[in-house]
Amino acid sequence: MIHYYTNRELAQKLEINLARWKRWSRSFLPPDPLGGMQSGYARQYLFKDLFKVFFGGYLLGHLKLPVADSRKVLDDLSPWLGKNGFFDWDASGKKKKETGSLLADVWIYFCPLSSPNSEPEPHFCYLVCRVFDVQPADGAQGRRTVVTYEEEFIFEEDFSALDVLRHPDMHAINLSALYDTVVSKLTQK
């Protein structure tokens, strides 16, 4: 069964101000095909749409990115998010298809690229890290661990992982935690 969510229901479940949620929705989704603000129809969201709005709102509210940059990041990452199962969730609290990507922590690191033609549209470099294993370091004193992860660049550029991680304007998002937060809040009674 397909479950549609309304603005009021989502604002209440996700503990976000209703006016803020509606503003984010207008910023990150195309116009509602059923009508506008005066039509009398409330906008309905599938999980894919509500996760886009929540993620975009996170970029705006927590990372303090401008709306244009947040939109660009969301547009750039949406195909990757869909391919890796971040839009696949049904109303029963289960993923529609198991892709395996959410079994481990997924971190996204991104930084702005300097545009050579000083174009008005921002460009970003994205590094996705999937953590596969975390083990205590052998013979190490204190809290040291060895982390095994896989790196993937989105829009392959002439960048290394260190270039992204050492960039002064680098942003990091624990995408798995963000996804789990949305799902846990939606499944609470």
Side-chain angles (χ1 to χ4, degrees), residues 147-159:
V147 178
T148 306
Y149 62 91
E150 172 188 80
E151 294 178 350
E152 174 186 351
F153 276 96
I154 299 174
F155 303 129
E156 189 82 27
E157 297 286 337
D158 294 331
F159 272 84

Side-chain angles (χ1 to χ4, degrees), residues 58 86 104-108 172-181:
Y58 181 84
F86 285 93
D105 281 343
V106 177
W107 285 80
I108 293 184
I173 300 171
N174 185 342
L175 198 57
S176 299
L178 198 66
Y179 179 87
D180 291 342
T181 298

Side-chain angles (χ1 to χ4, degrees), residues 99-138:
T99 59
S101 66
L102 299 183
L103 298 176
D105 281 343
V106 177
W107 285 80
I108 293 184
Y109 302 92
F110 65 98
C111 61
L113 296 174
S114 57
S115 55
N117 304 335
S118 50
E119 299 171 13
E121 185 173 306
H123 294 283
F124 294 93
C125 180
Y126 305 93
L127 172 65
V128 178
C129 292
R130 284 190 183 97
V131 177
F132 287 112
D133 189 33
V134 178
Q135 297 291 323
D138 292 332

Side-chain angles (χ1 to χ4, degrees), residues 11-159:
Q12 187 176 34
K13 285 188 176 212
L14 298 174
E15 300 168 4
I16 298 171
N17 179 293
L18 179 60
R20 178 176 292 151
W21 178 263
K22 287 181 177 182
R23 190 170 54 252
W24 289 353
S25 175
R26 286 190 300 272
S27 295
F28 300 115
L29 294 179
D32 188 7
L34 291 178
M37 295 176 71
Q38 299 293 326
S39 70
Y41 289 103
R43 183 170 198 135
Q44 296 179 331
Y45 299 84
L46 292 169
F47 183 78
K48 175 183 177 180
D49 297 330
L50 76 89
F51 188 73
K52 278 185 180 180
V53 172
F54 189 82
F55 185 39
Y58 181 84
L59 294 171
L60 278 174
H62 292 283
L63 297 183
K64 307 295 185 210
L65 292 178
V67 174
D69 290 359
S70 299
R71 235 186 247 136
K72 177 67 174 159
V73 169
L74 200 56
D75 289 344
D76 289 349
L77 292 177
S78 286
W80 185 91
L81 292 169
K83 184 177 80 173
N84 287 278
F86 285 93
F87 293 151
D88 299 329
W89 187 76
D90 63 14
S92 67
K94 299 177 189 149
K95 287 183 52 134
K96 291 180 189 172
K97 59 185 178 191
E98 291 300 324
T99 59
S101 66
L102 299 183
L103 298 176
D105 281 343
V106 177
W107 285 80
I108 293 184
Y109 302 92
F110 65 98
C111 61
L113 296 174
S114 57
S115 55
N117 304 335
S118 50
E119 299 171 13
E121 185 173 306
H123 294 283
F124 294 93
C125 180
Y126 305 93
L127 172 65
V128 178
C129 292
R130 284 190 183 97
V131 177
F132 287 112
D133 189 33
V134 178
Q135 297 291 323
D138 292 332
Q141 295 177 346
R143 291 190 65 176
R144 295 187 70 192
T145 57
V146 176
V147 178
T148 306
Y149 62 91
E150 172 188 80
E151 294 178 350
E152 174 186 351
F153 276 96
I154 299 174
F155 303 129
E156 189 82 27
E157 297 286 337
D158 294 331
F159 272 84

